[in-house]
Amino acid sequence: MAIKVVYETHSITVDNEVGVATGWLPGELSERGRELAAELGVRRRGVDVVHCSDLRRAVETVEVAFGGGKEVRLDARLRECDYGRYNGRPVSEVAALRRRHIDTPWPGGQSYRQVVAATAAFLDDLREEWQGATVLVVSHSATRWALQHLLDGTPLEDLVDAPFEWRPGWEYEVA
C-alpha cells in the first residue's frame, strides 16, 4: 500500500523575518510563526504520525502544532542543508551560491545531493514501517527539494534556483 507523505515547512522564524539563512543553527519561531504552527496543527490533525527535523525551529513548530497529541519522531536526516561556515549568513548571500553546492559541499558543510541521499534513506525507512499511513514531515527547504527531486523527478538545479512560495503543504505518494 502507498504511503501519503504530507510535507510542511517549519513555521516562520525570527531569522526568516530578518533574512537570515539559519542552516544547521537551531532557530526560533517568531510570534507569527507560533500562530501559523497552531494553524498547521488544526490543518493536519488527521495524520497518523509526524516525522520532524531535529533542529529546534522544526521541533518547536510541531510542539505548538500538536502539543503532545501526536506521535512525533525526530530525525536528523530531515535537517536543512548544512551551509557550514555560511550558516546564519544573509539569505541573499546563500541563495546566490546554492547552485554551486548541488554536488560540492558548502565549506564545512554538505551538498544538496547529500541532503537527497539522507532523504532517500528516510523514505526507505518509511516504506518499511508506514504502509497505508498518512505521514506528516515537518522540515526545511532542502528536504522539500529532495522530496520533489526523488518523487517528482524535478532537477535539483531547477529547485535550488526557484523562489520560495509558501503554501499549506505539499503532498506525495510513496509506493
Side-chain angles (χ1 to χ4, degrees):
M1 295 180 70
I3 304 163
K4 181 178 180 180
V5 173
V6 179
Y7 166 86
E8 291 262 3
T9 187
H10 66 77
S11 206
I12 296 172
T13 66
V14 173
D15 283 352
N16 294 144
E17 291 181 345
V18 297
V20 170
T22 313
W24 272 24
L25 300 175
E28 174 185 353
L29 296 187
S30 68
E31 189 59 39
R32 178 70 179 133
R34 295 180 71 73
E35 293 168 4
L36 292 172
E39 292 174 14
L40 182 151
V42 172
R43 186 169 59 248
R44 300 300 179 191
R45 68 178 166 260
V47 301
D48 297 306
V49 66
V50 179
H51 284 262
C52 176
S53 160
D54 65 344
L55 292 173
R56 181 69 198 138
R57 60 198 183 268
V59 173
E60 187 179 7
T61 298
V62 170
E63 289 171 349
V64 171
F66 299 106
K70 288 285 178 191
E71 179 180 356
V72 176
R73 297 188 179 187
L74 303 184
D75 196 321
R77 297 174 297 182
L78 298 174
R79 286 182 173 191
E80 177 61 273
C81 187
D82 181 1
Y83 306 132
R85 70 174 196 232
Y86 288 86
N87 288 324
R89 303 292 301 225
V91 169
S92 58
E93 184 178 343
V94 172
L97 299 173
R98 282 184 190 135
R99 186 174 272 270
R100 294 183 194 173
H101 298 288
I102 291 172
D103 294 301
T104 302
W106 290 85
Q110 68 183 151
S111 71
Y112 289 106
R113 289 260 185 245
Q114 289 172 302
V115 175
V116 168
T119 304
F122 166 76
L123 291 174
D124 287 343
D125 288 350
L126 280 188
R127 288 181 185 99
E128 292 291 318
E129 187 173 359
W130 293 102
Q131 289 296 315
T134 299
V135 176
L136 174 62
V137 174
V138 177
S139 191
H140 312 272
S141 294
T143 306
R144 181 175 54 87
W145 297 338
L147 289 169
Q148 286 183 262
H149 177 69
L150 292 165
L151 300 174
D152 293 341
T154 308
L156 283 176
E157 293 79 5
D158 295 345
L159 295 166
V160 301
D161 284 341
F164 176 74
E165 294 181 29
W166 183 88
R167 67 186 216 202
W170 287 255
E171 295 185 6
Y172 304 94
E173 187 171 295
V174 177

